[in-house]
Amino acid sequence: MRADAGAILRIDELTVSFRTDSGEVPAVRGVSFELAAGEALALVGESGSGKSTVALAALGLLGGTARVSGSIAIGDIAVVGAGERELQRVRGKLASMVFQEPATALDPLMRVGDQIAEVIRNHDDVSAAEAQARAVELLGHVGLPEPASRVRSFPFQLSGGQRQRVVIAMAIANRPKLLIADEPTTALDVTVQAEILDLLRRLAAENDMGVLLVTHNMGVVADFADRVAVMTDGRLVEEGPVDEVLLRPQHEYTRALLSAVPRLSVAERPAAAGAAGAAGPAAPAAPARERYVEASGVSVSFGRGVRAVHALRDVSLDVAAGETVGLVGESGSGKSTIARAVLGLIEPDSGSVRVFGEELRRARGRRLRQLRAGIGVVLQDPVASLDARLSVAECIAEPLLVHARGLGRAERRRRVAEALEAVRLPAAFMDRAPRELSGGQRQRVSLARALVLSPRLLVADEPTSALDVSVQRTVLDVITELQRELGFACIFVSHDLAVVQEFAQRVVVMRAGAVVETGPTAVTLSHPETEYTRRLLAAVPVPDPVVQRGRRLAAAGGAA
């Protein structure tokens, strides 16, 4: 089970297919590349390109339905054909993995310190007390505050960024020479994402550790990678230094991928351009339009007494017909809470929320249902928001069954077909199950369901954060076209400032439950008035490695 010494990871002519009821499905086709110690290689491509399959194959984690050929070597250990006992010695010791969603990677019933200690004791003959001491040390090493007390926390007591730091602590517990990170920052806001990338960069340098980064975020690639390998349809189509691939792409697919990336224009300018006090252009006067949402002085808290969490503090927000307002801020800033208050899912402690001119808390029964029928909702995760037991047609028809009970089955199917056509999906998809669709197709089904009643207001909560850049572009283009045709207002919750810049006419910046800045998007993002907004903008990575290195050096100089 030995391979030639050399690179920390060597993959040669890797081919992977999966056995299914309908036959053999190819996933990876003849992929070859190497990763040296201390190097960061980004593996990029759309969903279904095979990049995550390559990452899982590297650790022998594909499962019994996979058929693997070619060779994979980690150090001098050959992975393909190795037994489970041999692989267990590789995993966690010589190589480790950081998964996209830390909530599913951690045991919710175990304290985080115990989970780290378990990883240590699986590969090292130490006492429980020594393993716990090393767990505290590791939590401090990955930048978790108060590690001695946090070691006793359960995962649900930590934020998303803190949970990801715990997962990284587990991954580096035995000082591996290879770290595979599969979309480690996708669900994180930009400031936490920047902290996690800085952490991975530091750990790789300190331990001479090779990092294989699987991602669809080209800004993250520009910020972190030394080399880039581009995959599509299971094949490697381009590979090279990050500056060459991102700035001078050779393959048509790479160029198309990069052209779909939303770019935050202010982030690609010299730092001085966005300095405090800069005079921005005057915003054009907008014509008066009916206000579909009027939230005034809204405060929301969860819990009571000293343990109460103040999610919103005196927040005011208005959205006019045909307007898109972007809500941005870090996790916990309150942007999703105000969206839920507008939907009537949370009753404020104080303040008022008026939708279509009526106070939500005063509406009851039939009138409340009528108001809610005018609101469509698109959530972040289309997998969780669509019932796996229903067909696509049944998922889209759910609002019709609740709010248009007099419609017959034939009329419902006609409306469903129209909704699918509106989101650029064929009517033939009606009888498919959600699991048979790609991520972008599922999100368009969610959009069709949200629009099937022709609502006047669309609330979109992180609708594109988990999507590839090209799929994200398609979904945003569809929403833009439909808004132009139907004239609905939109509350767009996002941590992606580049998307908000392209999509929203106004932006509301939130922090710790309060609005810290608001105004026309172009003015607010180009000439922010508050230090917090400037910090958010500085944390956004751009898909230009030269510009990104300059921004990182400028940020490091400012911190010093």
Side-chain angles (χ1 to χ4, degrees):
M1 307 309 297
R2 298 283 162 180
D4 294 336
I8 186 61
L9 174 65
R10 182 185 292 108
I11 295 179
D12 187 35
E13 288 298 318
L14 175 66
T15 298
V16 180
S17 59
F18 293 93
R19 294 188 300 275
T20 70
D21 293 339
S22 56
E24 200 94 357
V25 177
V28 176
R29 310 163 192 255
V31 167
S32 301
F33 63 83
E34 293 185 356
L35 174 65
E39 181 185 35
L41 171 65
L43 197 58
V44 304
E46 297 172 288
S47 294
S49 64
K51 58 187 188 295
S52 290
T53 301
V54 170
L56 293 169
L59 292 180
L61 294 173
L62 288 177
T65 62
R67 189 173 72 172
V68 183
S69 63
S71 67
I72 302 171
I74 297 177
D76 59 355
I77 305 295
V79 174
V80 177
E84 190 62 26
R85 182 173 296 181
E86 182 87 2
L87 290 174
Q88 289 290 356
R89 288 199 290 269
V90 173
R91 298 172 191 149
K93 185 67 175 177
L94 187 59
S96 288
M97 192 160 188
V98 176
F99 293 95
Q100 175 177 347
E101 181 45 68
T104 58
L106 295 171
D107 188 332
L109 303 180
M110 286 181 68
R111 300 181 192 275
V112 296
D114 293 336
Q115 297 187 54
I116 298 171
E118 182 179 61
V119 171
I120 294 170
R121 298 190 75 192
N122 281 343
H123 296 278
D124 205 347
D125 186 16
V126 298
S127 67
E130 186 177 350
Q132 280 287 334
R134 281 172 58 179
V136 173
E137 181 183 338
L138 282 162
L139 289 179
H141 197 53
V142 299
L144 203 65
E146 302 176 351
S149 60
R150 289 295 190 184
V151 78
R152 295 187 54 76
S153 297
F154 289 95
F156 73 87
Q157 296 174 304
L158 305 178
S159 69
Q162 289 172 334
R163 285 195 294 265
Q164 194 64 292
R165 288 173 187 270
V166 172
V167 171
I168 293 171
M170 293 170 65
I172 66 166
N174 295 297
R175 299 179 181 85
K177 301 306 294 180
L178 169 65
L179 182 68
I180 299 173
D182 190 357
E183 302 280 10
T185 63
T186 294
L188 304 178
D189 55 61
V190 288
T191 52
V192 177
Q193 173 180 270
E195 292 170 2
I196 295 298
L197 292 176
D198 286 342
L199 170 63
L200 290 175
R201 191 180 295 111
R202 173 173 62 83
L203 294 173
E206 290 174 355
N207 300 301
D208 197 28
M209 182 173 64
V211 180
L212 178 63
L213 176 69
V214 178
T215 185
H216 63 253
N217 188 322
M218 291 300 181
V220 168
V221 172
D223 191 32
F224 186 79
D226 301 309
R227 286 192 302 121
V228 184
V230 183
M231 291 188 66
T232 182
D233 194 28
R235 293 183 172 89
L236 197 61
V237 295
E238 187 164 358
E239 181 189 1
V242 64
D243 289 23
E244 289 294 324
V245 174
L246 295 195
L247 300 180
R248 291 171 289 278
Q250 300 301 306
H251 197 277
E252 181 182 349
Y253 174 76
T254 309
R255 291 194 290 270
L257 204 60
L258 289 167
S259 68
V261 177
R263 291 175 178 263
L264 185 61
S265 56
V266 65
E268 301 197 36
R269 300 177 197 159
R289 290 178 289 181
E290 180 186 357
R291 292 184 179 180
Y292 282 175
V293 176
E294 297 171 275
S296 177
V298 176
S299 295
V300 173
S301 60
F302 301 105
R304 296 181 179 180
V306 295
R307 294 189 176 184
V309 175
H310 299 283
L312 294 178
R313 304 168 186 265
D314 194 27
V315 170
S316 296
L317 170 74
D318 63 87
V319 186
E323 181 185 35
T324 297
V325 174
L327 301 184
V328 303
E330 296 170 297
S331 296
S333 62
K335 54 188 188 293
S336 291
T337 303
I338 187 64
R340 293 180 71 191
V342 170
L343 291 169
L345 300 176
I346 295 176
E347 185 167 325
D349 301 335
S350 59
S352 69
V353 178
R354 298 176 68 85
V355 177
F356 312 133
E358 294 197 39
E359 180 72 47
L360 267 184
R361 71 168 73 198
R362 294 179 183 172
R364 295 288 186 274
R366 181 179 179 183
R367 186 56 190 149
L368 181 59
R369 287 197 301 273
Q370 288 174 339
L371 288 175
R372 286 178 170 169
I375 307 174
V377 185
V378 182
L379 301 176
Q380 176 176 354
D381 186 354
V383 176
S385 63
L386 298 176
D387 192 328
R389 299 167 298 178
L390 303 181
S391 68
V392 166
E394 289 169 329
C395 288
I396 297 173
E398 282 184 303
L400 297 174
L401 292 171
V402 174
H403 297 290
R405 297 175 182 175
L407 293 180
R409 185 174 183 275
E411 178 62 14
R412 284 200 303 272
R413 283 187 70 84
R414 187 188 68 79
R415 297 273 290 270
V416 167
E418 287 180 351
L420 282 171
E421 183 182 350
V423 298
R424 318 300 185 255
L425 289 176
F429 276 35
M430 280 200 289
D431 297 318
R432 293 190 183 186
R435 67 176 180 277
E436 297 177 292
L437 308 182
S438 70
Q441 289 169 338
R442 283 194 293 260
Q443 193 61 296
R444 279 187 275 172
V445 169
S446 295
L447 179 58
R449 180 179 60 184
L451 298 177
V452 73
L453 290 170
S454 300
R456 292 191 284 167
L457 171 67
L458 179 69
V459 178
D461 192 354
E462 300 280 9
T464 62
S465 66
L467 302 179
D468 303 316
V469 288
S470 57
V471 178
Q472 173 181 266
R473 169 65 60 194
T474 300
V475 171
L476 290 175
D477 286 347
V478 168
I479 295 176
T480 302
E481 290 175 23
L482 291 174
Q483 187 179 35
R484 194 178 300 120
E485 293 172 12
L486 304 176
F488 56 79
C490 182
I491 295 176
F492 190 81
V493 179
S494 181
H495 64 251
D496 191 329
L497 296 179
V499 170
V500 170
Q501 177 187 253
E502 288 193 11
F503 190 62
Q505 290 84 51
R506 284 195 298 122
V507 64
V508 176
V509 183
M510 299 189 66
R511 182 186 189 189
V515 174
V516 297
E517 189 166 355
T518 185
T521 305
V523 176
T524 302
L525 297 187
S526 296
H527 303 277
E529 296 180 354
T530 66
E531 179 59 33
Y532 176 71
T533 307
R534 289 192 287 274
R535 185 161 65 86
L536 280 181
L537 291 165
V540 179
V542 298
D544 184 320
V546 176
V547 172
Q548 188 58 31
R549 278 194 291 273
R551 297 175 75 232
R552 196 188 319 137
L553 288 171

